Amino acid sequence: MAVDEGEALARHVRALNVPGPVLEIGSWCGRSSVYLGQAARDEGRMVFALDHHRGSEEHQLGEGYHDPALYDGDIGRVDTLGAFRRTLHDAGLDHTVVALVGPSEPIGRVWQTPLSLLFIDGGHAMATALGDYRAWAGHVVPGGVLAIHDVFPDPKDGGRPPYEIWKLAVASGLFETIERVNTLEFLRRV
Ligand SMILES: C[S@@+](CC[C@H](N)C(=O)[O-])C[C@H]1O[C@@H](n2cnc3c(N)ncnc32)[C@H](O)[C@@H]1O
């Protein structure tokens, strides 16, 4: 999450004029959660930060973005929940940002609360990104915002799945594009 992207997320939270909490898919250690949370706190909104805290493909042992400090050797799994909680505590956001710890798609299928803003930055495998989009995009209220991170129209720049779900959102007729900041696409639910 680059600074310009985080600031854009915060700006869109401040500009919301529809009811409902904000929800992010993919929190890692809380960087984007803090941008969303600081703006939400000022606006009297709540943020749900959803992550299974087991890391994405690139975070696993032996992969490029693996961090040994975020690995529970006893069970052989990545564990970012402690680091995430520390980030939120240090930012004074314990009462604004609520952790949802678990897999995105099944939670999205039973979720009931309409969302003012949905930020998708979870797993970048095709099945995961598609699952996130299909389970969650319909929860955004008309007038609300869908933000998708790591959207690379040119395959030379990065992986396809976030771009593919962005295309699905545009083609659905349910969303209109409003802004692109760096790799972060913003759409409004019509
Ligand atoms: C790129 S990181 C998120 C980065 C974060 N938004 C930030 O700004 O620092 C992706 C996160 O998605 C989580 N994730 C991947 N697939 C998931 C799934 N199916 N359900 C829940 N979380 C998932 C991983 O655990 C990882 O923490």
Side-chain angles (χ1 to χ4, degrees), residues 80-153:
T80 54
L81 182 57
F84 169 83
R85 296 204 75 194
R86 177 61 191 259
T87 302
L88 271 292
H89 171 269
D90 290 352
L93 291 169
D94 281 343
H95 296 283
T96 301
V97 181
V98 175
L100 288 179
V101 182
S104 167
E105 188 178 354
I107 298 173
R109 279 197 245 107
V110 299
W111 186 261
Q112 297 278 348
T113 305
L115 302 173
S116 57
L117 185 145
L118 171 66
F119 170 50
I120 300 182
D121 192 20
H124 286 7
M126 195 64 219
T128 312
L130 264 180
D132 289 346
Y133 175 75
R134 290 181 175 147
W136 284 100
H139 293 299
V140 178
V141 294
V145 172
L146 170 65
I148 305 175
H149 193 220
D150 289 334
V151 176
F152 298 110

Side-chain angles (χ1 to χ4, degrees), residues 1 26-28 31-32 50-52 55-56 102-104 121-123 128:
M1 168 76 24
S27 306
W28 187 238
R31 187 171 167 81
S32 50
L50 190 165
D51 199 305
H52 52 33
S56 298
S104 167
D121 192 20
T128 312

Side-chain angles (χ1 to χ4, degrees), residues 29-94:
C29 297
R31 187 171 167 81
S32 50
S33 321
V34 168
Y35 281 108
L36 293 168
Q38 287 172 337
R41 179 182 53 198
D42 296 346
E43 301 297 321
R45 286 183 199 269
M46 182 166 275
V47 177
F48 290 98
L50 190 165
D51 199 305
H52 52 33
H53 288 283
R54 296 305 189 195
S56 298
E57 297 80 356
E58 69 274 17
H59 302 126
Q60 304 307 315
L61 190 63
E63 299 300 326
Y65 287 89
H66 181 72
D67 181 347
L70 299 170
Y71 188 70
D72 182 341
D74 292 341
I75 61 167
R77 302 293 300 276
V78 169
D79 188 349
T80 54
L81 182 57
F84 169 83
R85 296 204 75 194
R86 177 61 191 259
T87 302
L88 271 292
H89 171 269
D90 290 352
L93 291 169
D94 281 343

